[in-house]
Amino acid sequence: MDKIERMKELNELLSKASDAYYNTGKEIMSDHEYDALYDELDRLEKETGVILNGSRTQVVGYEVASSLKKVKHTSKMLSLDKTKSVSELTEWLGEHEGFLSWKLDGLTLVLTFDNGELTQAVTRGNGETGEDITQNARHINGIPKKIPFGGHMVVRGESLMKYKDFERVNDMIEDGSKYKNPRNLCVGTVRNLDSKVTAERNINFFAFNLVSADGYEENSFAERIKWLASLGFQTVYGVKTKSETLAEEIKKFEASIADNEFPSDGLVLMLDDVAYGLSLGETSHAPRNGMAFKWKDETADTVLREIEWSASRTGLLNPVAIFDSVELEGTTVSRASVHNVSIVKQLKLGIGDTLSIFKANMIIPQVLENKTGSGNAPIPEICPVCGGKTEIKTSDDDVETLFCMNKQCPAKHIGKFEHFVQRDALNIVGLSTATIETFVSEGFVRKFSDFYHFDDHKAKIVTMEGFGERSYAKMQEAVEASRHTELSHVLYAVGIPNIGRAASRLICASYPTAEQIEKLTVDELTAIDGIGEVLANDYVNFFADEENLAEYHELLKELDISEAEPISADSAIAGKTFVITGSVNIWKNRNELKAYIESLGGKVSGSVSSKTDYLINNDSTSNSTKNKTAKSLNVPIITEEEFQELVK
């Protein structure tokens, strides 16, 4: 194949991948594969001097193909040039100051505010035309409902999903069309025609650039980000830097990747002098005032030993590659999700194959390529959990997934039992996922109340691998201890969709008896500060289900429930928002400190923003992301002792 033909083929592959990702939220190739093909196309264009019509190197974003309203951007949105070389990035910065921040991995939005109100939110689209998602944007965390600025303002930022929210939502998807990563799920959510979906999925927005604001003349990029934070926006974390400090700052970002709640695929370096940066203009596809820095993926070769088909509560059987352990990004890795049957076939997986493994965004282990491609891995015809028949289902996007067709498959209930025993729920210490899976498979556990009748199965349990009289006695001790609990723990334990620990405490503080909480109406629930209509509807629907109600009543018979502690409305910290990080000394753990704050009417958030009143960290000199963000926003960092004084 000559170079021109190869360029045509590359453009076709890249266009197909881009369309699938942006218009369906699905991936037909990994970021690593896409970047490799893009770089090959770019290299061939430079070698031949030919750029084909419609080349992907000249196209930004995607062609809009949904039923959302189309909006033309007032200024074209281009992609930054990228590099994986620290020295190249340093050379580019030269003698200038820069603002180095996370390159967030989500969906870029452009927000317009007029007279303090959000008037429009538009996706990036193809850089010239995007989609109007204003209604959905009103349900995204980090976008203020009203700002103290009366003029016309345009802000750009990234909409993202936390890793924990991605796992929660993906686990609830039952039609086989699970998402491969948080970015894809965020894209599908923000562009969904039902704004209720956006509200339920907990999307976050981080502003990363002030495009314009009437009468605002600050010229420092870093100061403009701080100003956006002062207006109530959640903003990207970043630092000012010069060439001589750039390499060290990059190392600090890299060291904190593991602590990130949000996906990031690198860094962005912008010239801090905004006017100078804009004066440099742009190329046909990239502005000259910034550069993207992408991490060099560390890879390792290993041997595939097994494909484990992991069952979910929906009946979906997810393939997981089990391979010889390798060291990647400072951790030992021995397994990676392969996501679905289509990818198993695409990778031509077979036992004994040599795989190349890497960590996507330096976090999530993935199979980069199969170097031998034997393709001999069988797709199981029976469920590994219940022995029932399996079936391959094909989605509208031609993605094949494997399902267990047995409605009574015990695996479909494992997830709710895992939740039931955790610390913030009934706190049955020592019951691991493996033990729960075994007990479910043996038929010992089919409903919540069964956890309190293991004595019916003692004779068999003590003979099982990993058990004996001593292990059994220890387990029973934990079970008996869990009988004595608070109502809010019970409410959280039964697994009502979207009702977390904090919401459970709020509800039980207002309605402190087991009889009351099962009969609450949507109006009664939404009257509680902190409970919205979406949560209220999920709550009422849960107790309207006769099976759920019966299981709840059976569980109550096994428990000794103490009265809920009232939430204080007149304490010194009532209404204040706290973030807790690092180790704690006075309280047993951070969850205990969180519960104490909530009992006094305070709130606890997972990330620092302009709405945070205090960051509790016993190490105020730490270089953690949360400490840096707190300092940039002038949020006080206090120790546990200082918190105690504050409460007094």
Side-chain angles (χ1 to χ4, degrees), residues 427-468:
N427 192 26
I428 305 180
V429 180
L431 275 183
S432 66
T433 297
T435 299
I436 292 173
E437 288 176 346
T438 300
F439 283 9
V440 168
S441 297
E442 292 289 341
F444 303 162
V445 175
R446 297 190 180 280
K447 54 185 182 296
F448 294 138
S449 58
D450 289 340
F451 282 91
Y452 298 96
H453 294 282
F454 289 148
D455 51 344
D456 294 342
H457 311 285
K458 178 181 177 181
K460 187 169 184 179
I461 291 175
V462 296
T463 64
M464 294 167 61
E465 183 178 351
F467 272 91

Side-chain angles (χ1 to χ4, degrees), residues 367-434:
V367 178
L368 174 61
E369 65 174 317
N370 182 357
K371 294 188 172 181
T372 45
S374 67
N376 63 27
I379 308 300
E381 295 181 356
I382 62 171
C383 173
V385 176
C386 70
K389 183 182 177 182
T390 65
E391 182 178 310
I392 294 177
K393 295 186 177 182
T394 305
S395 72
D396 293 339
D397 305 313
D398 295 325
V399 176
E400 293 182 314
T401 49
L402 188 67
F403 279 86
C404 170
M405 303 310 294
N406 176 15
K407 292 183 179 180
Q408 301 306 316
C409 178
K412 297 181 181 181
H413 304 291
I414 288 173
K416 78 171 189 177
F417 295 139
E418 287 177 321
H419 174 83
F420 180 79
V421 303
Q422 67 176 257
R423 183 197 300 271
D424 286 339
L426 266 293
N427 192 26
I428 305 180
V429 180
L431 275 183
S432 66
T433 297

Side-chain angles (χ1 to χ4, degrees), residues 152-163:
H152 178 77
M153 184 170 75
V154 179
V155 177
R156 291 178 184 171
E158 201 81 353
S159 53
L160 300 166
M161 259 192 134
K162 292 182 180 180
Y163 287 114

Side-chain angles (χ1 to χ4, degrees), residues 31-37 39 81-90 250 254 265-267 291-299 358-359 368:
D31 286 351
H32 196 283
E33 292 172 296
Y34 186 94
D35 287 344
L37 294 177
D39 290 343
D81 279 333
K82 64 180 185 294
T83 181
K84 292 186 177 182
S85 167
V86 175
S87 60
E88 184 178 337
L89 196 66
T90 303
I250 290 175
E254 186 174 346
D265 58 349
L267 304 173
M291 282 278 285
F293 175 79
K294 302 200 76 172
W295 311 113
K296 287 184 178 179
D297 293 321
E298 182 182 343
T299 63
F358 77 108
K359 279 188 173 182
L368 174 61

